[in-house]
Structure formats: structure tokens, C-alpha cells
Amino acid sequence: MWFFAIPGYLFPAPSVIWAEMVENAGMIWGHTLATTRTVALGFIASIVISLPLAVAITSSPLMANTIYPFLVLTQSIPKVALAPILVVVMGANELPRVVITFLVAFFPLVLATAAGLQSVPAELIELGRACRASRWKELIRIRLPYAVPFVFSGLKAAVTLSVVGAVVAEFVNADRGLGYLIVTSTAFFEVALAWAALIVLSVLGIVLFQIVAVVEHVLFPWSAGKT
Amino acid sequence: MIGIESVSKAFGARDGSQVVALQDVSLAFDRNEFVCLVGPSGCGKSTLLRLVAGLVEPSAGRVTIEGAAVDGPRADTGIVFQSPTLLPWASILDNVLFPARMMNVCTPDAVRRAHALLDLVGLAEFAGRHPRELSGGMQQRAGIARALVHQPDILLMDEPFGALDALTREELTLELLRIWSDQPKTILFVTHSIPEAVLLADRVVVLSPRPGRVADVVKVGLPRPRSFAMEAHDEFQRCAGRIRSLIFGDRATAA
């Protein structure tokens, strides 16, 4: 840093950032919890909505043609632009933040799950039919388990994007959270604090990703071994 | 036992035209008969199998089992595919029990039967293993055990040894004959291999392609139990030569 003569107020030394982090540990922890809460709620909403959506999409070509355009529409809207509108519509509370997080995160999960449900070998479906299995049983016993490795690759993408979504939402409207901390600290030129928040955010992303990976490994070892 | 009465089957192609897979096929199979279906690609042998399985419906004519028309999958047929298609997340035992579970007949009796079948196909010690830990041949053995777990009278096999190496293939061919003598069933066996068909079958149905129809039915007069040593037998040569000339015309017999 000294070598390139970058002023400390633009890119503070790691030691300065670390000192800032330690000094404000309690406050940063509070913001981290707030962001984690938004991320978790948005991520859970993604799972709860994406799985049935993927099942619906793969149930028939008609359903796929009906639902896909709407999905693509939700993805083509810039979330940063949508966030302030959602705040007006839903109020300055947690709800618009969760909705934005969900909108950023859910799409890859739907795509991955749908791809997984459709990747079942035709012969396995025939075997199910030969056993006179109902469509529900076919879904529960064959299609969904078969999709598990795909679902988890979608979940890994979604959990990382949830962090992005939560921060975007906090930029627009929040009184807590790491995104809010970055906006306020840079406004007061406390660059070291902003860097500290950024580092905590990336650690948060890595930790959440690893949690998903561990869950896959523990619950579905045959799936984790594949990817 | 199985009757195929003037059955035709046409599929709608992507461009809207109709592709005739089978045209006016009439056959009858006896109880506990071993029948092989042989023919070049596109002759509709797999379609014929799926018609008997009730997985596809005939466009014309009808398929009957014990006199009753087949209008959907039945509990008294078991099916083996070219690839073992085992469930990767389930143990070998659970894979064998899969049809019983799907049919809601997973009784302690079925579990006992599954263990006995695994013993029969030589996989007794692999019951708790997962499919990826087994070789292709072992996976296909599990596939055969799976097809037998609900005690079907009819076993439908769609090129079951087609994806295996030549040695494993011979081994499993003999093993299938052993299983069949242990548990007599009506077997319909689709294959590309003429020697395999002659060695296994009581009768070989030879199909010709586009549209698929029966070229002839060759009766194999070889004694049982059979072995690969019989390939030198006159009757073996006669049957194989006959099938070959039905498929290739005079080209093969001249050579």
C-alpha cells in the first residue's frame, strides 16, 4: 500500500481494518445477525416456492410454457430499481428486503430443480409405470430423489445470491444490517469500517455455502459424492 | 398364455407424420416358454415388449394375457432394461424391493423373497451396498432380481445384456437359464445377438424392419440344459443360419 502510495482513506491497511473490526465487534455482530436473518428468510422462501414451482413446470409442456415467461420476467427486472417501489408498496419493514432477497436467489434453484426432475432416465419412469405407481408416488419415490444432486447445486447458487439480494435490499431500505452499515459508514467516510463490513459479508457467504455443502454431505452422501 | 392378435402400432413423428413400428403382428406364447425376439434396429421388438408390458397401447388389434386384454401395466409382469437403472440412493436390497414398495406389497414375505433372489443371482453379500459400488454385470443381476421380486409370471427383458462385455454376457446368459429352470416363467427376451437367442430360446421370433412384422418364427430343437458347447451342434448351426438368412437375405448364406 505504501509502495503504491494509495492514501489510507481510500484503501486502509489490513491492520487498520482489523483494529476497526475488533473495536466495533459488538456493533458489527448486531448488523451481521440482522443481515443473516434477512438472508435466511429469503433463502427459505426461495426453497419453499422454488421446489413446487419446479414440479409444476416439469409436470407438462403447457405448464412450462405458462410459467417460464413470468419467471424470466422476474429476472429481467433490475432488483435495485424494484426495491424502492417495493418499500413504498409493502412499507419500510423487513418484508420488502426478504422479497428482494427471494427474487435474487430463487431463479437458479427453480432451473436446477426442474433440470433434475427431467434428468430421470426414461426407463426408471417406465419401471414406475410398470409397477402401476401413481404420479405422486413417482414424484416422491423416483423424480425428487433423483433431482437431489441438482437441487443442491441450485441451493449452493441460491444461498450465495441470497447474501447479494439481502445487501441490495439493505442499501435501499434498512436501519440495520451489513449493507446498511456500508452505506452509512461510507457516507461518513469511515472507509475502514465499510471494509470490515465487506469482509464479514464475504465470510458470511462462504459460511452459508459450506453449511449447504455439509447438509448435502450428511443427509445425501450419494449425492455429494457425485458432484 | 400371451396372445398378440393382429397388432399394429404407429407413433406420431415430430413432423406430424405417422411412423409404423409394428404392422399386423400375430403371435402366441405358451406358459413358461422362453421366446427371443430378434431383428435389426427399428423392427419394433422393444415396442412389442412394451405392448405386452402394457406401457404402450396398440393402434390396432389387441394383446391378451390369460385371455384378458392388456389395457395397462399388470402386476404379473416383471421388466428388465438394457441399463440396470438402479436407484443410486438406495441399497441393493432396497432396489430389489422397489417394485414391491411401489405396488404397496412390501411385506416381510417380500423382504424374505428379495434376500432369496439376491442369493439366487449371487449378490447375497452385497444386499447393503449401493449400486455405484457394483460392477455393470452385478448391477444387471440386481436388475433381474428386482424384476422377479413380486413373483411375476411373465418376465420381459429388453436387451438386458446389451451393455455388458462379452464375458460377463456369456456368464449372465447361463445364469438366466439357471434362474429360469429354478423359477419357470414365460420370458420374452429382446436381443441383437443371434447366438444368444438360439442358446436361450424355445422359439425365436425374427422381425423385419420398416414396418416391423414377423419374418418367421424359428423353433430351436436343442435339448436342455443348454451350454455354450452346443454352438457346435448341427441344430444350433441350422437355427442360427436360418435366422441370419431371414435378417440379411441371401447375402449371409452365400458368404
Side-chain angles (χ1 to χ4, degrees), chain A residues 22-40:
Chain A
V22 172
E23 191 182 322
N24 297 300
M27 182 258 284
I28 293 176
W29 178 245
H31 288 298
T32 307
L33 284 185
T35 302
T36 308
R37 187 183 148 89
T38 307
V39 169

Side-chain angles (χ1 to χ4, degrees), chain A residues 39-57:
Chain A
V39 169
L41 289 175
F43 182 57
I44 289 167
S46 303
I47 298 172
V48 170
I49 293 170
S50 297
L51 296 190
L53 210 53
V55 170
I57 285 171

